[in-house]
Amino acid sequence: MLLYLYGKGGNLDSYSETGEYVERNETSPKKVLIIILIILFLLIGSFFLIRYLFFGDSKEELLLKATKEYIIKDETKLPDLSGEYTIITLDELLENKSVKSKHKFKECNEEETLVKVFKLESGKIHYVPLLTCED
């Protein structure tokens, strides 16, 4: 005859007929699912963290963001007519503190690195970054 008791953690433990204590190590499916979800969450989180820390935005993306922010502050830099364009240089963006990551552009020529801002016939604005960098 076996005597069943609930032991640590709610697992069903038993004593054999000889009086020896027998502990069952049953892992519930719920616990396994929680562990798998935690591991999955940590893997996905570490992927995005590594991507952000080591890769981040490209120089083109940073230059475009800085130009768009600069133009929002000073709309006189927008072309007036469709088909026209204006030029915003890296030097101009650095002077106006629009570039937040100066260190990414230390290898770039400040006068030759620029963004051409076009006004299309539809009225939309189109940005073309042109980088002149040593790396």
Side-chain angles (χ1 to χ4, degrees):
M1 176 171 137
L2 293 173
L3 176 63
Y4 293 100
L5 299 172
Y6 282 96
K8 302 173 189 172
N11 290 338
L12 191 61
D13 298 332
S14 63
Y15 287 93
S16 67
E17 291 181 10
T18 60
E20 293 180 31
Y21 177 72
V22 179
E23 184 177 334
R24 293 183 184 174
N25 281 334
E26 296 178 10
T27 306
S28 71
K30 191 176 183 179
K31 286 181 183 178
V32 172
L33 181 63
I34 289 172
I35 291 170
I36 290 173
L37 288 175
I38 289 171
I39 291 171
L40 187 63
F41 178 76
L42 291 173
L43 287 173
I44 291 171
S46 62
F47 169 76
F48 284 110
L49 182 63
I50 289 170
R51 184 173 180 260
Y52 174 76
L53 290 176
F54 292 106
F55 301 106
D57 290 333
S58 69
K59 288 179 185 173
E60 289 88 359
E61 290 170 342
L62 291 171
L63 192 62
L64 286 173
K65 284 180 187 178
T67 303
K68 289 175 183 179
E69 289 175 12
Y70 177 59
I71 286 180
I72 288 172
K73 292 177 189 173
D74 186 4
E75 291 186 7
T76 62
K77 299 295 180 180
L78 285 172
D80 294 324
L81 302 172
S82 63
E84 290 184 345
Y85 69 90
T86 57
I87 294 176
I88 310 291
T89 64
L90 176 59
D91 186 42
E92 190 175 348
L93 294 170
L94 290 170
E95 284 177 14
N96 292 292
K97 297 181 171 69
S98 296
V99 175
K100 293 180 177 53
S101 304
K102 290 183 197 179
H103 66 278
K104 288 215 176 192
F105 294 99
K106 67 182 178 185
E107 302 291 326
C108 297
N109 182 312
E110 293 178 6
E111 292 297 321
E112 293 179 13
T113 297
L114 53 91
V115 177
K116 287 186 177 182
V117 182
F118 291 88
K119 186 169 192 174
L120 304 177
E121 288 183 15
S122 64
K124 292 183 179 182
I125 304 299
H126 182 70
Y127 302 88
V128 178
L130 301 168
L131 280 83
T132 306
C133 303
E134 292 180 20
D135 57 343

